[in-house]
Amino acid sequence: MNEPVIVLNKLTKSYGKHRGIENISFSVKQGEIFGFIGPNGAGKSTTIRTLMGLLKPTGGSASIFGLDCAQDATEIAKDVGYLPSENCYYNELKVREMLQYTADLYGMDCRGRMTELAERLNLDLTRRIRELSLGNRKKVGIVSALLPSPKLLIMDEPTSGLDPLIQQTFYEILREENRRGVTIFLSSHVLSEVQRLCDRVAILREGRLVGLQSMEELRENGYKKISLTARKPVEKNFFSIPGVANLEQADASVSFMFSGNTMTIMDRLHQLELEDIFIEEPSLEEIFLHYYE
């Protein structure tokens, strides 16, 4: 059995009237790619900052490599690559100088790895930080986190601001890191991202843990958002079947979310003369509104 790399035990961070996190408990196994998902404002960044020792918990505890995150943050940081959701850099430094500063903090010669990662992510090492777009600043953060070849990667919303092609390269790099034994913990509000990468997910809503699932369980319970237009008005109760939620209907136009056996809803759709149909993945916000109420 792999020993847990991350353990949260009733972790709580209170901000008074403002939402924090409450009684969060789960563990992340060695070698796992673990997703931490929820809508924006759910408490993902608060949890991650507490894991990194940047915030002190109000209650409960968190540990990484068996060390307490609040008391042993400096020791833990030696083996962790961290990407915050928002980066603050020295704007006058060039990218190469900024990344060299990271390497120096770890006491490592990372010049070869720096060049390789920068080339793969199409990051210009000669530009000054102040000249970079949001996407390129994110690349600096990604390279900085990967640079020391850590045992654990903790990444908060890693792909926000990246264009789709760079996202694909980033996913490839994460899989490579994982194959060499790196444990990866990443937060996201994009369901398709964690479905693509993760082994398991913890689901956060309004500062509370509302689910802990394997990807197979998440897919089985996952909703599809269906919008259709029929050639003639659809009977009022036609889609009143188990698994249908958020049903909106106006004559021949119908939209709803569906969770369950795909053939059940396909049988219904086959009974209609359809002009148009659109099936998509709902946002996490939509899923939480209806799946976890």
Side-chain angles (χ1 to χ4, degrees), residues 26 50 77 81 85-86 119 154-155 182 206 215 231 240 272:
F26 62 82
T50 307
S85 57
E86 296 177 3
E119 286 177 355
I154 295 180
M155 304 187 127
V182 177
E206 296 181 353
M215 290 317 305
R231 295 190 184 279
S240 295
L272 299 175

Side-chain angles (χ1 to χ4, degrees), residues 58 87 96 137 173 292:
T58 310
N87 291 305
R96 187 186 300 278
R137 281 175 176 255
I173 292 170
Y292 288 107

Side-chain angles (χ1 to χ4, degrees), residues 110-148:
C110 303
R111 285 172 293 183
R113 185 159 168 82
M114 184 195 304
T115 301
E116 178 211 339
L117 289 168
E119 286 177 355
R120 292 183 68 179
L121 293 168
N122 194 24
L123 175 63
D124 186 346
L125 294 172
T126 66
R127 299 276 299 278
R128 294 195 184 278
I129 297 293
R130 60 177 164 79
E131 300 170 348
L132 299 181
S133 65
L134 175 64
N136 280 315
R137 281 175 176 255
K138 180 67 76 170
K139 292 177 193 177
V140 175
I142 289 170
V143 175
S144 182
L146 291 165
L147 205 54

Side-chain angles (χ1 to χ4, degrees), residues 27-46:
S27 61
V28 179
K29 292 179 281 191
Q30 185 179 342
E32 197 169 22
I33 303 182
F34 191 94
F36 192 45
I37 64 175
N40 290 324
K44 301 188 300 296
S45 292
T46 296

Side-chain angles (χ1 to χ4, degrees), residues 16 28 34 58 75 77 109 123 164 166 191 206 246 250 255 283 293:
V28 179
F34 191 94
T58 310
E75 185 68 23
D109 182 356
L123 175 63
I166 295 298
L191 191 58
E206 296 181 353
N246 195 26
S255 68
S283 68
E293 282 183 345

Side-chain angles (χ1 to χ4, degrees), residues 199-219:
D199 304 307
R200 287 192 304 146
V201 292
I203 304 166
L204 201 66
R205 182 188 182 203
E206 296 181 353
R208 292 174 176 268
L209 191 69
V210 295
L212 185 62
Q213 299 181 325
S214 69
M215 290 317 305
E216 290 77 11
E217 291 169 328
L218 192 64
R219 290 189 188 100

Side-chain angles (χ1 to χ4, degrees), residues 190-205:
V190 182
L191 191 58
S192 58
E193 183 166 277
V194 296
Q195 285 178 327
R196 181 189 302 262
L197 285 169
C198 297
D199 304 307
R200 287 192 304 146
V201 292
I203 304 166
L204 201 66
R205 182 188 182 203

